[in-house]
């Protein structure tokens, strides 16, 4: 027999854990299916588990390590009664209520859990170059977020890999800190919008390395440079940088919900404007899985709060849980 839950939260980054805090304080006894430690796309704690120093999360004057911050989120949710399962959801059925969720064998005849409401917070992952050294140097000179880490690269020479709007935004932002920003792009022209191209071309701190790809990263403990190759001539050369930002795109972790929840072509889940409801009543989405604009820990946490309140109110209106199980004032 499947275990019945009022709320199941899929994912445990800033959005999922904030949703867990709020739903737990509303006496909804949420179950957080937090992912697997061995997974690169759906690991417990989300992308902040791969982040070193976090200096832009409010309340931490001297900054905090990403894993430590996520540990505090998790402990706070547990304090209010949230439960955690360190597994991955392998299948969902949202065609009826309560909703069905499978953990483990997706072909099992019965689901592992049923839920009156589901909050999806599976996040998104940065598309990386695909080099072996990336996992070693991520957070040690290699980054995927200029807004998060640009401050640490004052008076440095930095490379940005990519040619779209995101890459130009990263490069322009980094000129506030760096001595020079080199944009490394595989093609001989940018994919970015005309206005973003114009801004980048006009900035004296930005240089372009055309028809070039990064083939290796230099450094054991920290990034000390990169080997690059001209894709037309095959010529190899060294790039003298101590910071590199990969900006070739993000991929939301939404494969589990294809054909079930409405999503954009890029895979980001579609939610109601100003809210977190999906196309299926009782299923809500928050964090980077539905946000391709901000992608910050603080905005993810905020949308997790929104999803929890939306779920709580939906359950009350639909009488999915008895009134004594909700405690609206404590959820604010």
């Amino acid at each position: 027999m499947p275990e019945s839950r009022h709320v199941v939260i899929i994912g445990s980054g800033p959005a999922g854990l904030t949703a867990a805090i709020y739903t737990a304080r509303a006496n909804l006894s949420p179950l957080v299916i937090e992912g697997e430690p061995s997974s690169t796309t759906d690991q417990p704690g989300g992308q902040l588990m791969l982040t070193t120093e976090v200096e832009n999360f409010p309340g931490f004057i001297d900054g905090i390590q990403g894993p430590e911050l996520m540990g505090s989120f998790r402990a706070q949710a547990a304090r209010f009664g949230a439960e955690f399962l360190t597994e991955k959801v392998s299948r969902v059925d949202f065609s009826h209520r309560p909703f069905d969720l499978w953990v483990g064998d997706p072909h099992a005849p019965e689901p592992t859990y049923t839920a009156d409401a589901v909050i999806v917070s599976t996040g998104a992952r940065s598309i990386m170059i695909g080099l072996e050294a990336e996992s070693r140097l991520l957070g040690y000179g290699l980054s995927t977020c200029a807004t998060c880490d640009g401050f640490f690269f004052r008076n440095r020479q930095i490379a940005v890999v990519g040619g779209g709007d995101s890459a130009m935004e990263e490069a322009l932002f980094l000129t506030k800190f760096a001595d020079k920003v080199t944009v490394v792009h595989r093609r001989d022209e940018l994919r970015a919008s005309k206005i973003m191209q114009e801004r980048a071309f006009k900035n004296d701190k930005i240089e372009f390395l055309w028809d070039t790809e990064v083939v290796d990263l230099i450094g054991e403990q920290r990034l000390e440079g990169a080997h690059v190759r001209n894709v037309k001539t095959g010529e190899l050369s060294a790039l003298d940088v101590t910071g590199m930002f990969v900006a070739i795109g993000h991929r939301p972790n939404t494969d589990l919900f294809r054909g079930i929840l409405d999503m954009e072509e890029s895979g980001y889940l579609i939610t109601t404007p100003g809210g977190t409801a999906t196309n299926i009543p009782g299923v809500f989405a928050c964090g980077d899985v539905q946000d391709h604009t901000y992608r910050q820990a603080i905005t993810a946490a905020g949308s997790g709060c929104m999803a929890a309140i939306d779920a709580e109110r939906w359950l009350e209106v639909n009488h999915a849980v008895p009134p004594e199980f909700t405690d609206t004032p404590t959820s604010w």
Side-chain angles (χ1 to χ4, degrees), residues 33-281:
I33 305 179
E34 58 181 349
E36 295 177 333
S38 60
S39 173
T40 57
T41 62
D42 191 20
Q43 64 174 339
Q47 291 297 298
L48 276 185
M49 296 300 289
L50 305 175
T51 304
T52 51
E53 194 78 10
V54 178
E55 287 199 332
N56 57 2
F57 199 91
F60 298 93
I61 299 170
D62 299 317
I64 185 172
Q65 296 289 304
E68 183 183 355
L69 178 61
M70 287 299 90
S72 296
F73 271 50
R74 192 182 191 278
Q76 187 175 1
R79 175 193 166 204
F80 292 115
E83 296 180 38
F84 294 86
L85 178 67
T86 310
E87 300 281 354
K88 288 183 66 174
V89 175
S90 57
R91 176 185 163 197
V92 297
D93 183 355
F94 295 158
S95 62
H96 56 85
R97 292 197 297 269
F99 305 117
D100 293 335
L101 301 95
W102 281 258
V103 171
D105 182 7
H107 305 295
E110 285 193 335
T112 316
Y113 296 97
T114 63
D116 297 318
V118 171
I119 296 175
V120 177
S121 57
T122 47
R125 61 193 183 277
S126 299
I127 300 173
M128 303 301 289
I129 303 168
L131 304 176
E132 184 179 349
E134 284 179 314
S135 59
R136 182 179 74 250
L137 295 174
L138 190 62
Y140 298 94
L142 182 68
S143 176
T144 59
C145 178
T147 308
C148 309
D149 299 332
F151 179 82
F152 300 113
F153 293 87
R154 288 185 179 276
N155 306 316
R156 305 270 195 93
Q157 295 198 16
I158 301 174
V160 172
V161 181
D165 278 350
S166 293
M168 295 308 101
E169 288 172 7
E170 300 274 277
L172 287 162
F173 181 81
L174 289 167
T175 58
K176 299 177 182 179
F177 310 101
D179 284 344
K180 184 176 77 170
V181 177
T182 301
V183 174
V184 182
H185 188 40
R186 287 177 54 87
R187 300 177 177 84
D188 58 4
E189 60 181 7
L190 299 173
R191 294 178 289 105
S193 59
K194 292 297 182 183
I195 189 169
M196 293 303 296
Q197 291 190 40
E198 290 173 3
R199 289 175 183 171
F201 290 144
K202 288 178 180 178
N203 194 302
D204 293 337
K205 283 190 173 183
I206 298 177
E207 296 183 1
F208 293 85
L209 201 55
W210 304 108
D211 300 318
T212 301
E213 62 182 359
V214 178
V215 295
D216 197 10
L217 302 177
I218 303 170
E220 289 298 320
Q221 305 299 321
R222 291 199 63 83
L223 181 72
E224 298 172 2
H227 293 302
V228 297
R229 176 173 59 206
N230 185 290
V231 297
K232 291 184 176 178
T233 66
E235 180 183 357
L236 291 170
S237 58
L239 185 61
D240 185 19
V241 293
T242 54
M244 179 176 290
F245 289 77
V246 180
I248 54 181
H250 291 79
R251 182 176 294 119
N253 301 319
T254 54
D255 290 348
L256 181 66
F257 310 105
R258 289 194 178 278
I260 300 173
L261 297 178
D262 287 349
M263 59 183 70
E264 300 176 5
E265 277 188 29
S266 56
Y268 286 92
L269 297 183
I270 297 172
T271 53
T272 53
T276 64
T278 67
N279 58 298
I280 295 181

